[in-house]
Amino acid sequence: MSALMISLDSLAPVSSMDAMLAKETSGGCASSSCGSSAKPDDMDLAIWEKIKDHPCYSEEAHHYFARMHVAVAPACNIQCNYCNRKYDCANESRPGVVSEKLTPDQARRKVIAVANEVPQLSVLGIAGPGDACYDWRKTKATFDDVSREIPDIKLCISTNGLALPDHVDELAEMNVDHVTITINMVAPEIGTKIYPWIFYQNRRYTGLEASQILHERQMLGLEMLTARGILTKINSVMIPGVNDEHLIEVNKWVKERGAFLHNVMPLISDPAHGTYFGLTGQRGPKAMELKALQDKLEGGAKLMRHCRQCRADAVGLLGEDRGQEFTLDQIPDEVAYDPARRETYREAVARERGDHAAAKQAAVTTVKGTEANGTLLVAVATKGGGRINEHFGHAREFQVYEASPKGISFVGHRKVEQYCMGGFGEDATLDGVIEALEGIDVVLCARIGDCPKDSLIAAGIRATDAYGFDYIETAIGALYAAEFGLELLAESA
Amino acid sequence: MAFKIIASQCTQCSACEFECPTGAIKFKGETYVIDPNKCTECDGYFDTQQCAAVCPVPKTCVPA
Ligand code: SF4
Ligand code: SF4
Ligand code: SF4
């Protein structure tokens, strides 16, 4: 394994990035997999080219690449019972929330400022707070301006689908090759419980009629995108008692129409957010309920499990938000794009990736080789690069992996409140963390103190920093072998 | 003959600004406001007032 520790860290300044590259090359290529790509065997090369740098479309890419959203499209043509765009709070992370709305020109300057600072940046998305297709003039102006200056940035939009069919041709012309449509139902009766009204062709519709129109437009838009080879991701909000079982049907429909990914997200409902569901006491699903539904959908349209339900103005790697570093008042009136950092970073990732893919392969082989049939749910603290490189107390989320006879797969993440603030651990927060880790067998992190470790053990969760800075899969492979391999030997002895 | 926006209810989504055929709606200070000199109540453009139709909050865009 190369000695590339936290070098892919998001905060790496240029100097340390150079050092990282030097270190890497000076070591020669120790890995036998040199030059190998991280492309999964069962994927078409053309598709892999499209998604390999997109953190949302490729689970593998999300360890390396970052996205940013610019909030240029505040107007929306639908009211959803889970949305309230009025609420704004810097600590609040959920779709629809933004701190400032931008004009296309402000957005252009912000994207350049971020591209100069955040080498991981690969995708520019427009995800609201309203609807990117409805507020089309601003979306288009922003994409035109940005792609003129940063031609290799990937463009991506999120839409509720109502206005989508009107713009599919323009999207194709603009080289937008990733579109997310939020589809929560394929049966209008269910839609009436989610959408109080829609605004279509200069008129407001309500009830069944509204949901029927929305449904037809969503299916049409999806089919049109598929026909043009544009990759689509379907977002569905899982609302217990409303559409949870129904999402199995949704999954079938979208698969038949060529959807590339299906992302089932938990409803976020807190009375404080002032959403209709929040106020009526509609609850969101628990982590294990969400996982159970996702497991049922396995075999249908491919699932996305690493979505973070980001703010509509999020910046950085998934799971982190550096938006506060790039507010308008911090961005100069004139900015010039400097491609140097992004290029250097991409070269480093290209090399690291082959190594990581080989390590992953080896780990999967280990797991399968144990011939055990146990399942291990592992939570990992990481800040990117596919390695275990975050302190337990600093983690704001844990990435969850499942090791089983089928191999090692990413199954989701659990958000937690940061337990360690300025060196002191708060007991109340630790309780919250333990609650969030329900069902987890082992926690892997770069460092952990004895105190939280003991509390975790008391709750039936083991934690270790023994694999600090290793690749995630390598550690899980070793862990799995230790757990089940030995047991097997012991039994047969 | 003009409409107005009840500021306390407005979610500042800007949907109305986008739909107004006369460009009467602008963001001022804390909220969206309708310029009574420009607003025609959509007369000559649409059958219904666009701001009221598109606004997500009932009774927020109302006759002044
Ligand atoms: S909300 Fe989900 S799909 Fe959108 S940027 Fe965040 S992780 Fe990606
Ligand atoms: S009534 Fe029509 S013209 Fe007047 S502000 Fe509303 S949308 Fe504009
Ligand atoms: S549409 Fe309604 S809520 Fe949205 S900005 Fe206009 S008045 Fe405010």
Side-chain angles (χ1 to χ4, degrees), chain A residues 184-188 190 242-251:
Chain A
N184 296 318
M185 53 88 198
V186 291
I190 292 179
V242 173
N243 72 347
D244 42 355
E245 285 298 318
H246 180 62
L247 289 179
I248 298 173
E249 195 62 24
V250 172
N251 184 276

Side-chain angles (χ1 to χ4, degrees), chain A residues 81-83 92-96 182-184 194 234-244 247 262-270 273 275 277-278 282-294 297 303-310 397 410-415:
Chain A
N81 281 336
Y82 48 75
C83 180
E92 182 67 37
S93 178
R94 62 190 167 87
T182 301
I183 301 181
N184 296 318
I194 307 171
I234 307 305
N235 277 357
S236 297
V237 180
M238 176 183 179
I239 312 165
V242 173
N243 72 347
D244 42 355
L247 289 179
H262 191 190
N263 174 21
V264 178
M265 311 179 294
L267 169 72
I268 302 175
S269 81
D270 181 328
H273 298 160
T275 63
F277 280 148
Q282 169 66 51
R283 71 174 182 93
K286 293 195 192 113
M288 290 311 266
E289 286 176 324
L290 177 68
K291 183 175 178 298
L293 175 64
Q294 289 173 331
L297 296 176
L303 293 184
M304 170 183 189
R305 298 203 187 222
H306 62 286
C307 179
R308 302 302 199 283
Q309 298 182 281
C310 313
E397 64 165 30
F410 178 86
V411 294
H413 69 282
R414 308 270 181 96
K415 277 191 188 128

Side-chain angles (χ1 to χ4, degrees), chain B residues 3 20-22 24-25 34 39-42 49-51:
Chain B
F3 263 50
C20 175
T22 66
I25 305 176
I34 294 175
C39 173
T40 63
E41 297 200 355
C42 290
Q49 285 79 26
Q50 294 304 290
C51 55

Side-chain angles (χ1 to χ4, degrees), chain A residues 21 127 137 170 195 223 245 253 304 313 320 331 353:
Chain A
L21 288 172
R137 279 174 297 191
E170 285 164 283
Y195 308 104
E223 285 163 7
E245 285 298 318
W253 279 62
M304 170 183 189
D313 58 3
E320 86 175 354
I331 295 171
R353 240 177 174 176

Side-chain angles (χ1 to χ4, degrees), chain A residues 65-86:
Chain A
F65 289 102
R67 53 73 184 99
M68 73 179 287
H69 290 159
V70 286
V72 293
C76 200
N77 49 355
I78 284 192
Q79 180 63 35
C80 304
N81 281 336
Y82 48 75
C83 180
N84 177 7
R85 294 182 291 267
K86 191 173 185 174

Side-chain angles (χ1 to χ4, degrees), chain B residues 3-27:
Chain B
F3 263 50
K4 67 173 180 187
I5 291 169
I6 312 286
S8 59
Q9 300 192 59
C10 171
T11 67
Q12 300 169 15
C13 71
S14 86
C16 55
E17 177 188 25
F18 188 67
E19 290 304 326
C20 175
T22 66
I25 305 176
K26 286 275 162 321
F27 192 70

